[in-house]
Amino acid sequence: MIPAIGLLVGIVFGLILQPIVPIWLQPYLPIAVVAALDAVFGAFRSVLDGLFNDRIFVISFLSNVLIAALIVFLGDQLGVRIPNVDWGCRGSNNANLRKRSCSATTSA
């Protein structure tokens, strides 16, 4: 019950305060969120297995986020860029989309 209340309080604060993410921090935010979700789902799995330990969760959560941010920072410092890829309708089960020509286009 406490996590659900914390989630609701966080959502309400986010809607009221409407925080603005600085531009220099924006490249790190998506990977940090994915790393945090990895830790949360790992904790959920350990709860289901009956092996949950709050200390391990906190350490896993923080280390996942910090390591992911470090990897993005290093990639940014090294100038690694991944082009945006628009795969069009590949993998679509829609018959109308399959009729069209599907080719990958890249944009930098």
Side-chain angles (χ1 to χ4, degrees):
M1 187 68 179
I2 293 175
I5 293 171
L7 177 64
L8 289 175
V9 169
I11 290 172
V12 169
F13 277 148
L15 292 173
I16 292 172
L17 299 176
Q18 296 181 355
I20 297 173
V21 178
I23 292 176
W24 63 269
L25 190 60
Q26 289 178 359
Y28 304 99
L29 191 58
I31 194 68
V33 169
V34 170
L37 286 173
D38 175 54
V40 169
F41 285 121
F44 182 68
R45 180 173 178 228
S46 66
V47 166
L48 293 177
D49 291 340
L51 302 172
F52 181 76
N53 185 335
D54 57 345
R55 291 180 183 150
I56 293 174
F57 169 69
V58 170
I59 291 170
S60 171
F61 185 88
L62 293 176
S63 64
N64 277 356
V65 171
L66 289 175
I67 290 170
L70 178 65
I71 290 171
V72 173
F73 175 76
L74 289 175
D76 192 35
Q77 295 301 311
L78 295 172
V80 176
R81 297 281 183 243
I82 299 174
N84 296 328
V85 176
D86 179 16
W87 292 103
C89 58
R90 289 184 186 219
S92 174
N93 291 327
N94 189 335
N96 292 330
L97 290 177
R98 281 192 306 236
K99 290 178 184 176
R100 295 187 300 179
S101 165
C102 297
S103 60
T105 59
T106 61
S107 61

